[in-house]
Amino acid sequence: MNPAPRKIYGLIGYPVKHSFSPVMHNAAFGYLGINAEYKLFPVKPEELAAFFQKDIIVKDTNGNDARTKDILGFNVTLPHKERVLDFVCLDPESTYLNQIRAINTIVRKDGICQGFNTDIAGFQWHLTEKNFFNPQGKQVALLGAGGAARAVTYVLAKSGASRIVIFDIDKQKSKNVVSMIKGIFPDSGISCVDTIEQLDILNKDLLINATPIGLKQTDPCLVNREMLHKKLFVYDLIYNPLETKLLALAKKAGAVVSNGLGMLQYQGALSFQLFSQTQAPVDSIFRVMGQALRQEIDRL
Ligand code: NAP
């Protein structure tokens, strides 16, 4: 008898090659003895509809083919977190998910794609872990108003941040996030501005980067030294590179900093539970993923 074929999971987005997700998920599959592999699938915006609507062949980053319908579960990264809403079903009981309208995890079952958001719990866990940073009553400046920013602002508003100010190069996107949050938390002090200077970071407690600026070595730093101060906590969602220009500059200014590695690890453990339907506790998956991540970082 032929053995069952190896199940395929992965990440879709553009770009995807910076991702540490395969390292984490493949370690967890190995730990639980599941015959499955997690791969990276670069999918351009113009290819997204066909990815969901047709059973096409896509290439992973190693050049191997996969049929889209055989990819049983996948994470979603930039720039697709909002657009995938057109192609998935949301849990009708997840009122907040219907309002946030950003998805980072999709599970395909009986031909139907169901969407989830584990970025929310991932960011919440990492920011507040061991009292890392408690947003209650704090003033926040946020760069970016895309899919990840939707999860971030939800956590901040729910945790009682007193003010959240957003800057995105696309003002309409910032406005959409503001009205999304106002729809869920009408008393939230959230607003958006036209320039980075208007974020008034000198009078904020927390600065978050939820843009992709910093992923590439050639990217500029979005802020300058004069905008930063030593009582600031600076959180960059980017984890590869581990230290972006923003974090390096913030450190020089005496600020406390964090990259997004912890968020990645926690959201990954939760996504893995959804993919594998395992009963294994999130803590054990998180631990296995953490070991794999550390080995990968040492290797780089
Ligand atoms: P996204 O949906 O593409 O959103 C990024 C937003 O930033 C877009 O609205 C974009 O505008 C805006 N932007 C681009 N350049 C800008 C600039 N110079 N100034 C201000 N805004 C700018 O991406 P995403 O999915 O939210 O991801 C954002 C970042 O978070 C990525 O680096 C991603 O890797 C990271 N992330 C990390 C984790 C983690 O677990 N650590 C989880 C989620 C996301 P345009 O669309 O007009 O370009």
Side-chain angles (χ1 to χ4, degrees):
M1 207 169 76
N2 286 335
R6 180 173 272 208
K7 292 178 178 168
I8 303 173
Y9 296 85
L11 172 72
I12 65 164
Y14 199 81
V16 286
K17 62 176 190 303
H18 64 276
S19 175
F20 286 169
S21 291
V23 167
M24 298 194 306
H25 285 268
N26 288 328
F29 283 133
Y31 170 69
L32 292 172
I34 299 171
N35 183 23
E37 188 174 359
Y38 187 103
K39 301 168 169 219
L40 297 174
F41 295 102
V43 176
K44 294 180 182 163
E46 61 273 24
E47 297 166 343
L48 194 66
F51 182 92
F52 282 93
Q53 290 167 340
K54 298 179 186 163
D55 188 15
I56 55 167
I57 292 174
V58 286
K59 280 204 186 300
D60 66 32
T61 44
N62 291 323
N64 299 315
D65 291 343
R67 296 204 84 88
T68 45
K69 295 253 161 75
D70 291 337
I71 306 171
L72 300 177
F74 44 99
N75 289 116
V76 181
T77 189
L78 75 156
H80 303 317
K81 285 187 179 182
E82 294 159 84
R83 252 198 82 206
V84 290
L85 265 288
D86 292 346
F87 309 106
V88 304
C89 300
L90 297 181
D91 177 357
E93 286 174 22
S94 296
T95 319
Y96 73 93
L97 203 49
N98 280 292
Q99 288 167 312
I100 290 167
R101 304 203 65 74
I103 293 299
N104 78 324
T105 305
I106 293 175
V107 178
R108 198 189 291 275
K109 208 169 171 214
D110 302 326
I112 293 172
C113 285
Q114 187 165 14
F116 304 86
N117 190 318
T118 67
D119 278 342
I120 295 169
F123 179 68
Q124 164 99 49
W125 177 86
H126 193 215
L127 191 69
T128 58
E129 180 214 14
K130 296 182 194 136
N131 292 329
F132 206 24
F133 185 92
N134 179 359
Q136 190 171 15
K138 297 292 191 328
Q139 303 221 22
V140 186
L142 174 63
L143 296 163
R150 288 177 168 259
V152 164
T153 48
Y154 177 79
V155 170
L156 294 171
K158 192 163 182 247
S159 310
S162 58
R163 173 141 295 280
I164 305 165
V165 186
I166 308 174
F167 169 72
D168 189 290
I169 34 170
D170 183 340
K171 179 86 187 272
Q172 190 53 50
K173 281 180 129 177
S174 304
K175 284 182 177 171
N176 292 346
V177 173
V178 169
S179 48
M180 179 272 287
I181 290 295
K182 289 268 185 203
I184 308 173
F185 306 102
D187 297 332
S188 161
I190 188 163
S191 59
C192 57
V193 291
D194 295 315
T195 65
I196 291 192
E197 289 71 23
Q198 288 170 346
L199 283 174
D200 189 19
I201 299 166
L202 284 176
N203 288 307
K204 297 293 180 292
D205 303 296
L206 173 63
L207 168 66
I208 299 176
N209 179 32
T211 77
I213 305 301
L215 281 175
K216 287 189 280 187
Q217 282 206 332
T218 49
D219 281 345
C221 184
L222 290 179
V223 300
N224 60 46
R225 170 70 183 82
E226 290 65 46
M227 293 176 180
L228 303 173
H229 61 89
K230 62 176 189 237
K231 289 196 176 153
L232 193 63
F233 184 91
V234 181
Y235 189 102
D236 198 327
L237 266 68
I238 294 174
Y239 56 83
N240 186 10
L242 292 170
E243 186 175 273
T244 56
K245 285 178 187 159
L246 170 65
L247 293 189
L249 191 68
K251 262 189 185 169
K252 273 192 194 146
V256 179
V257 304
S258 173
N259 62 28
L261 204 58
M263 174 181 176
L264 175 85
Q265 194 180 333
Y266 202 81
Q267 65 76 31
L270 295 174
S271 294
F272 184 86
Q273 285 199 312
L274 292 165
F275 294 151
S276 63
Q277 301 289 308
T278 179
Q279 299 300 314
V282 71
D283 290 359
S284 62
I285 300 167
F286 182 81
R287 190 173 29 80
V288 169
M289 288 182 160
Q291 283 163 358
L293 273 173
R294 280 189 292 279
Q295 279 171 11
E296 177 69 2
I297 289 164
D298 288 346
R299 196 185 63 76
L300 289 177

